[in-house]
Amino acid sequence: MSTKPKVAFVCVHNACRSQIAEALGRRLAADVFESFSAGTQARPRINADAVRLMKQRYGIDMEATQRSKTLEALPPVDVVVTMGCNVQCPALPCAFREDWGLEDPTGRGDEAFHAVIDAIEARVLDLRRRLRQGEIQR
């Protein structure tokens, strides 16, 4: 049984930012925490632009390893990271919570997606560091 903390990346639709964060968490921080994502109103599929750019940048095929899902599909988690919902962010029981306040790039150009992916990568790496160093209590 894993003793690594479980981190849920949460937004409303679980179609773009939270999916990117889950994929990057798995790629960049799997040694420190387990990554999950969900939303309150799951979409039928992950955002096509996010899927395309994650394949180009990291070789990650999110459609092969992830699916859009609601909060009920999550296991109990230690850390909840909301993406910046611009509406009421979903609430989940957890020991630590933070909001990354990221704008949804859906419907905007690749430049907007790259900016969000860059921000998510930096924040995933920072979350990894803080969890590893014990700065976040779970």
Side-chain angles (χ1 to χ4, degrees):
M1 186 166 139
S2 174
T3 59
K4 290 188 272 187
K6 290 177 173 52
V7 175
F9 298 101
V10 178
C11 63
V12 175
H13 295 123
N14 191 219
C16 189
R17 294 163 294 171
S18 55
Q19 293 284 353
I20 293 167
E22 178 184 356
L24 290 177
R26 289 179 178 189
R27 170 67 57 91
L28 303 173
D31 60 326
V32 175
F33 63 82
E34 293 182 65
S35 296
F36 302 90
S37 71
T40 54
Q41 307 164 14
R43 290 279 165 99
R45 61 185 300 249
I46 301 171
N47 180 291
D49 291 319
V51 169
R52 174 176 56 81
L53 293 172
M54 289 295 287
K55 277 183 191 172
Q56 283 177 6
R57 288 181 63 156
Y58 302 97
I60 297 171
D61 184 354
M62 292 192 302
E63 289 182 315
T65 59
Q66 295 169 218
R67 63 181 173 76
S68 185
K69 56 211 156 301
T70 59
L71 301 177
E72 295 77 27
L74 291 173
V77 296
D78 303 293
V79 175
V80 171
V81 176
T82 51
M83 297 287 109
C85 305
N86 300 327
V87 295
Q88 181 60 42
C89 282
L92 277 176
C94 61
F96 179 81
R97 170 185 312 275
E98 67 184 20
D99 182 73
W100 286 356
L102 300 169
E103 285 192 40
D104 186 354
T106 299
R108 297 165 58 205
D110 285 2
E111 188 174 305
F113 275 88
H114 284 298
V116 167
I117 292 168
D118 289 345
I120 291 172
E121 178 178 339
R123 291 173 186 188
V124 163
L125 290 171
D126 182 59
L127 180 63
R128 176 185 180 274
R129 178 193 60 76
R130 288 183 291 145
L131 280 165
R132 193 170 76 198
Q133 293 178 352
E135 292 177 27
I136 296 174
Q137 300 304 311
R138 57 180 184 121

